[in-house]
Amino acid sequence: MKQVVQSTGKGTLSVLDVPAPDAGPTDVLVETTRSLVSSGTERALRELAQSSLLKKAQKRPDLVKQVLNRVKSDGLRKTFTAVRDKLDAVTPLGYSAAGVVVACGEHAPLLAPGTRVATASVGHAEMQVVPGLLAVPVPDAVTDEEAAFGAVAAIAMHGLHQSGLMLGDTVVVAGLGLVGQLTARLAVAAGLKVIGIDPQAGVVALAEQHGALAIVESGDATTQAIRDLTGGRLADAVVITASTASSEPVMRGVERVRERGRVIVVGDVGLDIDRTPFYVKEVDLRFARSYGPGRYDPRFEAQALDYPVGYVPRTQRTNIAAYLDLVARRRLQVSDLVSKTFPIADAVDAYETLSTNRDILAIQFTYDRETDRAKTVKVGAGARTPGGVALIGTGDFVGSTLLPAMQSTGWGQINVVASSGGLSATALAKRAGIPEVSSDADAVIARDDVDTVFIATRHDSHARLAVQGLTAGKNVYCEKPLAIDEAEFDEVVEALGENPGLLWLGFNRRYSEMVTRAKSLLGQGTTPMTVHYRVSAGALPDTHWLKDPRQGGRLLGEVCHFVDTSTWLIGAEPVSVTALGRSDASTVLQEDVTLMVGYANGATSTIEYITDAHSSTPKERIEIMGRGHTVIIDDFKTMTCDGEAVTGVGTGKGHADGLRTFREQLRATNRDPRHLQVSLSTAQTMIAAIASLADGRRVDVEPVKLA
């Protein structure tokens, strides 16, 4: 299928052929009929992407700070690689469209195939995977052209909701681009007195045709005109839909609103403002967050969990539905806002038109209903290799760490890379010279030219894909965690007992040079040791996917690394675990935790995982004591034994070393069972830790028995 993307670094725009996607459990798969190019938002995105790195940095200082923090924690080389990969990536364009339902995920709102829907948060593509609550049925009286405005209209509607206006109130709409025009028309439909302002006479005249009192912006004269039109009262609210780096729209807004009125910022404007006018008039300055309540909330958007109507009567979904209802009842007209239409294949020409003609308010793409729904697409000239590799998953870790480590250790014969949406796989394949991309993980696993499957997807799919790979007779490399719960774990163990493939988990730290040297320094004695592993992990934003309970949280997804390393150093089976948390979050989402693990030989390990330490704290510190020695590994950068520095040992966390060992074990006549045994013991210990965390009791860890 075709999808419109732009290069993050260079800003070049293209229409890519990518695999057709599948709907996830809470998604709706939609075949697109129309999509809207929002002139203000998408023109700004294009201009930012085409700007220099310096201008990008000035526009997004938060990202610059992230890069600097990563240099401190990961080093310059790894950070440079990650930034380069980000700049080499492509970004989909578009967010407001309409189409026809093809299929629904099992936990998405039920929509019959063939239902016409307005969609939000999706790009210009022939097929869309839409968050379940953002696919809104379209009334019969509404055309696809009108329905494609749904998400943009929701932005305008939410801005008005933030104003708190009532019937008969006066609102000033400052900035009469696409969102401003829609805001003015919605306000007129709601019975408000609307005054529209813009520097361009053409859009002022258009707003006037649809019921607004419109004024060409001329500074103090415009403020006086508003005073005259309101009998000296001024506006009850000013909704700013302009886009400019200047702070003047906000400062003019406070001049033009009555005492204790509201100024609502919808557009991207400057905020270098003077407190005094707001204080003197006690004006309420508010911001409107995109389409409305639910935006950026992963529970609403990713998990399809709607809000109770008694508490949140207006969400981004109901905003779109309300817009569609107004159009269906002919209370709102939008067709005249579309300046031009283009076939999706001509998207490059469409954006060129947008960049050269500043008078355009909206462009729409049309789509051929004979969409190519192929799940696998050839992207390069490379040939498949018999006995090759399939890579499933294309997240940041894959591009910055796993794939470079694979390429440096002889895993270069990758025949196909897969991702659920197909776009990220296409970008990665082009960069890495992988010949084919797919959106169908099941088909990839079943391919005859694939002997080894690398699984680096989100955590809730690991066990299922690992079982599929083993059942298909493949060797499987699976990133941690192996399983989210005991039932999944048992399924993997059963598949291991019935199939010959080698299972390898992505526990890399145990293979690092420092951990290998530590085992050597401590000797092969049987005296029990004590391992203390302290991790300063740092906080994650609330929107991070690891905050989704379906993914097992950081306890299953990250703390497992440190349990595994401790177990590998101790060289004995875990027999018990006690887990203590520090917050009132649900068990699986606890982040600040302490684990105490007991081992069959009397050894113990303590893992302290902390998210709120000072940023200067090194991320990882391991202290191993016993057998007459004390070995300390500090962030895998320095190492001491009995107080003396250990030299001649490589830094790094062992990603390449682990992959190299995996290859050696695949080729070995007699494979060392300890690699898998410790991995499974770690997985079992982490599942027991979840049970312990529920009430703080000690939980026994059952030994894993392989056939």
Side-chain angles (χ1 to χ4, degrees), residues 510 564 567-568 573-574 672-683 703-706:
R510 66 164 87 152
D564 181 81
T567 301
W568 186 258
E573 286 282 316
D672 186 344
R674 292 178 303 164
H675 300 285
L676 179 57
Q677 188 68 45
V678 174
S679 294
L680 295 178
S681 294
T682 297
V704 181
K705 295 180 180 179
L706 296 175

Side-chain angles (χ1 to χ4, degrees), residues 17 61 144 173 217 228 410 434 444 545-546 670:
D17 286 321
D144 291 344
V173 180
E217 176 63 77
D228 294 343
I434 300 170
V444 163
W545 63 271
L546 269 176
N670 296 310

Side-chain angles (χ1 to χ4, degrees), residues 532-551:
H532 179 212
Y533 207 134
R534 192 270 299 141
V535 184
S536 176
L540 293 177
D542 290 339
T543 54
H544 195 282
W545 63 271
L546 269 176
K547 298 293 185 80
D548 182 344
R550 296 174 299 179
Q551 306 303 329

Side-chain angles (χ1 to χ4, degrees), residues 20 51 99 131 135 164 172 286 295 326 369 409 422 449 455 574 579 663:
S51 65
V172 169
R286 289 190 173 189
R295 187 67 174 130
L326 286 170
R369 292 298 302 276
T409 54
D449 64 333
I455 299 168
R663 283 188 69 83

Side-chain angles (χ1 to χ4, degrees), residues 83-104:
V83 171
R84 182 199 61 197
D85 290 345
K86 283 287 189 184
L87 292 175
D88 287 344
V90 294
T91 303
L93 292 173
Y95 63 94
S96 189
V100 177
V101 171
V102 174
C104 291

